[in-house]
Amino acid sequence: MTSQASKSEQALPEDLEADVERVIADCDGDARMAVRVLLVANSHAMAEIAAIEAEMAKLLADVSRGYARGHWEWLLERAEIGIPYSRG
């Protein structure tokens, strides 16, 4: 095991191995099926995140600038993931 691999394993949750085994067992031991299931689940999660981001952008666009007065624009500008909004 390389030092890079050991560093990445240390950053993972302790019960990761148990979760991996559970997913593979749920797929009757077929690792390819387990990967396929996880990829589909990830795709659904990413689509849900995109829908939530779109809803947030719409809500932000609908908020009256006079009401909000820009007090939280600085939070949006510093967000880890860009949040689209207009300065109206």
Side-chain angles (χ1 to χ4, degrees), residues 19-35:
D19 290 342
V20 169
E21 293 299 323
R22 183 182 48 79
V23 169
I24 293 172
D26 288 346
C27 293
D28 297 326
D30 186 350
R32 289 180 57 87
M33 179 62 75
V35 170

Side-chain angles (χ1 to χ4, degrees), residues 3 20 23 35-38 50 54 59 62 80:
S3 64
V20 169
V23 169
V35 170
R36 185 176 293 116
V37 166
L38 293 173
L59 289 172
D62 290 344
E80 227 175 87

Side-chain angles (χ1 to χ4, degrees), residues 39-56:
L39 288 172
V40 169
N42 186 58
S43 176
H44 285 284
M46 295 302 290
E48 188 174 338
I49 289 170
I52 291 169
E53 287 176 345
E55 184 178 348
M56 283 177 51

Side-chain angles (χ1 to χ4, degrees), residues 8-25:
S8 65
E9 285 181 8
Q10 291 173 356
L12 299 175
E14 293 177 10
D15 58 344
L16 180 65
E17 285 300 318
D19 290 342
V20 169
E21 293 299 323
R22 183 182 48 79
V23 169
I24 293 172

Side-chain angles (χ1 to χ4, degrees), residues 47-78:
E48 188 174 338
I49 289 170
I52 291 169
E53 287 176 345
E55 184 178 348
M56 283 177 51
K58 182 180 179 336
L59 289 172
L60 288 171
D62 290 344
V63 171
S64 164
R65 180 130 168 94
Y67 176 75
R69 297 182 189 196
H71 289 291
W72 41 298
E73 282 183 358
W74 65 274
L75 288 173
L76 299 176
E77 291 168 353
R78 289 166 181 76

